[in-house]
Amino acid sequence: MKKKCYVIGVYPPPYGGATVKCELFCDTLKDTQISVEKIDAYEPKRHKNKVFKTLQKYISAFKSDDTIVYCLDSKRLKISIMLQSLFPKSYKKTTILAIGGVFHETVDESPLLKKHLKKVDGIWVETEGMKLKLLERGFKNIKVFPNPKLEKGWCIPTTSNAEEPLRLLYFSQISEKKGVEDIIKLVELLDRDGNIPYQLDFYGHIVTDFKETFDEFIEKSKKVRYCGVFDSTKSNVYQKINEYDILLFPTHWNTEGVPGILVEAKMAGVAVIASDRSYNSELIQVDKNEGVVIHQPYFSEMYKYIKKMYFDREYLQKIKEGSSQSRKRYALEEYKDMIQKLFGGGGNKYEIKYNNILLNKSPAFSM
């Protein structure tokens, strides 16, 4: 009899990080002996008349003998787990794909939720740092599943010609919280210097309250372009990122786990300059030349390293190579046995194929 996996997630357009994670996980099971049934936890909010139908789907999942996987934000996860407590035996077949980097705070806010989460089969967090925080809270069912992406389609790092301008890239949501104001100040420094030829391209959704500031910046900056939202359902995101030398990621957010764009940069073989927020120092191991982690003030730190990389192309190439070599830690193909074991498998019992999976369904703003 064919095995089934209920994937309880959030599937509203536009795609966000949780949605992308759900979709990619479901796609890894598409060509296996595992059938996937998605339960959209967001459906009742969009369509009030579908509350009862969604509830029926939940109960069917809890009462079945099939595997349950959650990929939800903290609010919906709490509601779902409390509902599941009416069917306590189902915890043993349940796995949580934790979203973001503050799952331990979600646990701390609710002792009752913590009690129930300790009963589930597994909680898959995105970083070793997150795993440690949950182990300190008495959990024993923790594994690391670092928001992996498909390695298929990865790109060899390009060689940067010393005579050419540096190709700089920003590929995330365009907002103050993501550090775009730091990049605006960086551009001022680069233009004032005048000795570092560069081209800077932006991809991503512009948040409403930052649009006026960003539009003015683009209009007056001759070496900066806004390229819109990249549609990776139509083009290979790794190949696009590979066209550049350096990815800039000066985020101010402290709630992220493994930002998808940092994994994609590894697959694309580009150098990364990222802020010291959240778990970026774990993702980018500086001692292994996987990239650069900067501290405040971010704009002057970015300027310093961009200048170094421009005048020392061997250093830039070393960082590109280190970034590329680290991709294996975040390759989805490396975690297929971990996924197979959810269904009592292992080895080749449920062979996971990747030929038909899109490289990345998320547009740039969701990174």
Side-chain angles (χ1 to χ4, degrees):
M1 184 176 178
K2 192 170 185 178
K3 294 191 176 236
K4 180 186 289 187
C5 179
Y6 290 91
V7 182
I8 303 174
V10 179
Y11 306 94
Y15 282 87
T19 306
V20 172
K21 199 169 186 176
C22 275
E23 292 283 12
L24 191 55
F25 181 84
C26 290
D27 280 346
T28 63
L29 303 179
K30 185 186 300 181
D31 295 328
T32 72
Q33 297 178 34
I34 310 300
S35 66
V36 176
E37 181 164 338
K38 297 178 182 178
I39 299 178
D40 186 357
Y42 197 79
E43 187 73 4
K45 185 170 183 177
R46 278 184 276 130
H47 305 286
K48 301 295 184 185
N49 62 332
K50 293 189 177 181
V51 173
F52 184 68
K53 184 176 181 180
T54 302
L55 182 60
Q56 283 183 314
K57 290 181 179 180
Y58 268 87
I59 293 173
S60 294
F62 299 151
K63 294 176 71 174
S64 75
D65 294 325
D66 300 305
T67 301
I68 298 170
V69 174
Y70 283 107
C71 193
L72 290 175
D73 58 272
S74 59
K75 179 181 178 180
R76 292 183 178 88
L77 179 62
K78 287 178 184 177
I79 295 171
S80 300
I81 288 293
M82 292 310 173
L83 175 61
Q84 189 174 356
S85 67
L86 299 174
F87 305 87
K89 291 182 179 180
S90 64
Y91 284 144
K92 293 299 181 181
K93 58 173 186 172
T94 299
T95 295
I96 313 292
L97 300 187
I99 303 299
V102 291
F103 189 78
H104 59 286
E105 294 181 9
T106 299
V107 170
D108 288 343
E109 290 170 359
S110 174
L112 184 59
L113 176 65
K114 179 180 179 180
K115 175 184 175 182
H116 290 297
L117 287 176
K118 285 187 175 183
K119 298 176 183 178
V120 303
D121 182 62
I123 300 174
W124 293 8
V125 296
E126 295 184 357
T127 70
E128 291 290 344
M130 293 173 64
K131 177 180 178 179
L132 179 60
K133 288 177 179 178
L134 288 172
L135 290 175
E136 290 171 346
R137 288 161 172 78
F139 283 84
K140 296 180 181 179
N141 53 350
I142 311 300
K143 294 182 179 180
V144 176
F145 187 68
N147 196 17
K149 307 289 184 181
L150 287 169
E151 185 180 24
K152 181 182 177 182
W154 71 280
C155 301
I156 297 173
T158 59
T159 301
S160 180
N161 191 322
E163 304 301 320
E164 296 177 348
L166 279 182
R167 299 161 297 175
L168 308 178
L169 174 66
Y170 178 89
F171 202 96
S172 297
Q173 181 193 83
I174 296 171
S175 65
E176 183 178 355
K177 286 184 177 181
K178 282 286 189 176
V180 176
E181 285 196 335
D182 292 284
I183 296 180
I184 292 174
K185 293 178 182 179
L186 163 68
V187 168
E188 293 175 357
L189 287 179
L190 289 171
D191 290 347
R192 193 181 308 150
D193 181 306
N195 294 314
I196 307 174
Y198 72 94
Q199 174 66 47
L200 169 60
D201 288 349
F202 280 83
Y203 285 86
H205 170 71
I206 308 169
V207 299
T208 303
D209 61 2
F210 197 71
K211 190 174 189 311
E212 184 177 348
T213 299
F214 185 70
D215 286 346
E216 290 177 2
F217 165 62
I218 292 295
E219 186 175 348
K220 71 178 183 180
S221 302
K222 296 180 180 179
K223 299 179 181 179
V224 180
R225 299 181 299 191
Y226 174 57
C227 303
V229 176
F230 185 80
D231 187 350
S232 54
T233 64
K234 297 179 180 178
S235 303
N236 185 321
V237 67
Y238 301 161
Q239 290 178 3
K240 173 53 66 176
I241 297 172
N242 181 256
E243 295 175 5
Y244 297 86
D245 296 306
I246 305 169
L247 173 79
L248 304 177
F249 190 70
T251 183
H252 287 240
W253 280 358
N254 286 319
T255 60
E256 294 179 287
V258 176
I261 184 58
L262 294 187
V263 178
E264 289 160 352
K266 294 174 185 292
M267 299 298 177
V270 301
V272 175
I273 300 177
S275 57
D276 60 336
R277 295 297 175 115
S278 197
Y279 297 93
N280 288 350
S281 293
E282 179 180 323
L283 313 183
I284 301 169
Q285 297 182 17
V286 176
D287 60 333
K288 295 182 180 178
N289 296 310
E290 295 178 4
V292 175
V293 177
I294 56 174
H295 305 276
Q296 289 279 24
Y298 295 149
F299 66 93
S300 61
E301 284 274 284
M302 283 189 288
Y303 167 72
K304 179 177 73 174
Y305 282 104
I306 288 171
K307 185 174 183 178
K308 178 176 175 61
M309 291 180 189
Y310 176 75
F311 288 107
D312 187 348
R313 296 301 173 104
E314 288 186 7
Y315 172 68
L316 171 58
Q317 196 64 31
K318 182 167 65 174
I319 298 297
K320 285 185 175 184
E321 296 288 348
S323 176
S324 178
Q325 290 167 12
S326 69
R327 72 185 184 279
K328 285 288 186 181
R329 295 202 308 271
Y330 300 91
L332 183 61
E333 292 88 337
E334 299 293 313
Y335 294 88
K336 66 179 183 179
D337 283 346
M338 183 173 170
I339 295 172
Q340 288 165 348
K341 288 177 181 177
L342 289 177
F343 310 97
N348 296 318
K349 186 172 182 181
Y350 300 107
E351 185 63 29
I352 293 180
K353 301 177 183 178
Y354 299 91
N355 296 333
N356 299 322
I357 304 174
L358 292 173
L359 272 176
N360 198 330
K361 289 190 173 185
S362 61
F365 65 82
S366 69
M367 309 297 181

